[in-house]
Amino acid sequence: MITSLMPTYARMPVAFERGEGMYLYDTDGKKYLDFYSGIGVMCLGHSHPVLVKALIDQGQKLWHTANTYRIPLGDKLAQRLVDASFADTVFFTNSGAEAIECAIKMVRKYHYDKGNKGKYRLITMASAFHGRTLAGIAASGQEKLTKGFEPLPDGFDVVPFGDIEAVKAAIGPETGGIMVEPVQGEGGIRSLSDAAMQELRKICDDNGILLVFDEIQCGMGRTGKLFAHEWSGAKPDIMSVAKGIGGGFPLGACLATEDAASGMTVGTHGTTYGGNPLAMAIGNAVLDVMLAPGFLDRVVEMGEMLHGRLAALQQRYSGLITEVRGKGLMAGIQVPSIPTRDIVVDMISRGMLPAVAGDNVVRMLPPLIIEESHIDEAMEKYDAAFAEYEKKAE
Ligand SMILES: *Cc1c(COP(=O)(O)O)cnc(C)c1O
């Protein structure tokens, strides 16, 4: 018999009751070090006082009015994102998938309005994840996401990850843009090199097409810059953001330059919930914390420490850990010889929450408020676990 909750997830055998900072507490009161942040969403940790206050204050005033009316908190949040990024304009959504959908529509409308109706295709990269809408799964080109859901929307050409020559070869008269994650999350914490990012920018400029970055997982301070592409110097025309931007409240955004968004005129796109006052109040509160002087410097510092410690872990267990991946507080260790889910379940029993990613990678997206003591604690738990795995493998 089907469960009352539709059974689309292979859920881990634990349920949480409350969270505080870097820790979650399960229904038996057991404490867990959170190294996943609910897929990078809880970027300021659990129950952050600034976010709780914003939620309560705004919750007592006004939740929703619809975009029929002006929403001053949305004007403010959009302006702050514009001031802090490449973008000139922002569309707010409730999720990452909707931010992707907005980006795809924007690329098509851009070329349509310039008289290039046929330029509707996007080049994307293998093992990408762009959300679960029909367009999002089509863009991923991954059979595990698309199987059984055909026919898929047309217009996506998938090339091998990071293969710039393949990108060049895939460009045709119908190509309207390129869409990539600067650091792939679900696909296995794979980073595009700075050189590849710059190449993509150049290819788009040379061909009059748009560059779209999906920073839903790697953006909002995760790598130590507000947006991951900033490390490379390559700027997009359009960027989708979500997850961390709401610090736990469902919020996404599609950012764009004035030129790229030139087709997004009155009536062309919309949403009921997107950009509502409650979401906007919390989005502003997230930025209050994240843009405070020193916050992102701390993320860089903690990211370097985490990567240094993971590299040492790899050296100690080089027979098991083949690679340390990622940037800043978006990290992964590749362990090909043990099913990733088994490692994650074992770590949960040890009171720590990493997660699964593709390509045999144990994924880490700890809250950005992490401190050295938490990294110490994580490494002690990994050390104990990998010592056992090594013994078993002998
Ligand atoms: C999570 C994610 C999405 C989809 O976001 P939802 O909020 O789940 O719709 C898209 N792209 C990337 C890179 C993601 O990590």
Side-chain angles (χ1 to χ4, degrees), residues 17-357:
E17 202 160 66
R18 68 188 179 90
E20 204 183 305
M22 290 289 302
Y23 294 95
L24 281 168
Y25 298 84
D26 73 11
T27 41
D28 299 325
K30 188 179 164 195
K31 185 177 176 184
Y32 298 80
L33 178 64
D34 189 359
F35 255 57
Y36 193 38
S37 317
I39 327 189
V41 166
M42 305 305 294
C43 58
L44 303 183
H46 299 277
S47 310
H48 192 287
V50 173
L51 300 196
V52 171
K53 184 172 186 312
L55 179 74
I56 291 172
D57 287 353
Q58 188 60 37
Q60 287 172 338
K61 274 194 259 180
L62 183 66
W63 295 15
H64 174 87
T65 60
N67 288 296
T68 314
Y69 309 106
R70 283 190 50 237
I71 300 173
L73 284 168
D75 297 337
K76 180 177 168 190
L77 183 55
Q79 187 61 50
R80 295 175 82 184
L81 289 169
V82 163
D83 289 345
S85 74
F86 74 96
D88 302 311
T89 189
V90 182
F91 183 90
F92 290 113
T93 66
N94 315 290
S95 67
E98 291 164 286
I100 289 290
E101 193 76 14
C102 179
I104 296 167
K105 286 177 72 175
M106 206 185 301
V107 170
R108 292 186 176 192
K109 190 66 164 45
Y110 173 86
H111 291 295
Y112 179 94
D113 281 9
K114 302 232 168 213
N116 297 314
K117 235 199 277 197
K119 275 181 152 0
Y120 69 100
R121 304 192 71 82
L122 277 172
I123 295 170
T124 61
M125 285 183 177
S127 64
F129 185 79
H130 298 299
R132 297 283 193 151
T133 62
L134 285 171
I137 62 175
S140 80
Q142 293 200 60
E143 200 191 315
K144 70 173 184 198
L145 301 178
T146 59
K147 194 167 190 240
F149 295 112
E150 299 86 355
L152 299 172
D154 177 34
F156 301 95
D157 299 306
V158 185
V159 302
F161 178 79
D163 188 339
I164 297 300
E165 289 314 309
V167 170
K168 287 181 185 163
I171 289 182
E174 295 182 331
T175 305
I178 300 170
M179 180 164 76
V180 296
E181 295 156 84
V183 185
Q184 284 191 345
E186 309 300 312
I189 315 292
R190 292 182 223 237
S191 310
L192 285 170
S193 68
D194 291 350
M197 295 280 285
Q198 288 157 14
E199 275 288 319
L200 292 175
R201 178 67 269 172
K202 186 171 181 308
I203 291 169
C204 286
D205 290 340
D206 291 349
N207 291 278
I209 60 176
L210 299 175
L211 184 57
V212 182
F213 288 153
D214 178 348
E215 293 226 14
I216 291 168
Q217 197 159 144
C218 63
M220 295 311 294
R222 180 56 49 197
T223 66
K225 299 263 191 208
L226 189 57
F227 300 111
H229 69 262
E230 293 171 29
W231 291 107
S232 71
K235 291 179 185 168
D237 301 292
I238 301 170
M239 176 174 69
S240 53
V241 179
K243 296 203 164 98
I245 192 175
F249 197 88
L251 175 60
C254 185
L255 283 67
T257 63
E258 182 167 11
D259 185 41
S262 56
M264 305 307 279
T265 51
V266 171
T268 54
H269 196 51
T271 163
T272 297
Y273 293 122
N276 67 67
L278 193 49
M280 296 297 95
I282 295 166
N284 274 299
V286 169
L287 280 192
D288 288 346
V289 177
M290 202 175 278
L291 297 179
F295 184 90
L296 291 175
D297 296 335
R298 280 279 300 166
V299 175
V300 172
E301 197 186 315
M302 288 298 110
E304 279 168 5
M305 188 179 292
L306 176 64
H307 281 268
R309 305 288 285 280
L310 289 173
L313 187 77
Q314 184 199 358
Q315 269 180 0
R316 280 200 297 287
Y317 303 102
S318 54
L320 294 169
I321 303 173
T322 48
E323 206 183 338
V324 177
R325 293 185 181 176
K327 231 180 211 160
L329 292 175
M330 182 168 189
I333 50 175
Q334 189 186 43
V335 188
S337 57
I338 307 170
T340 314
R341 191 181 162 91
D342 292 358
I343 298 175
V344 170
V345 169
D346 179 48
M347 292 314 296
I348 292 175
S349 75
R350 293 169 191 272
M352 178 183 165
L353 307 170
V356 173

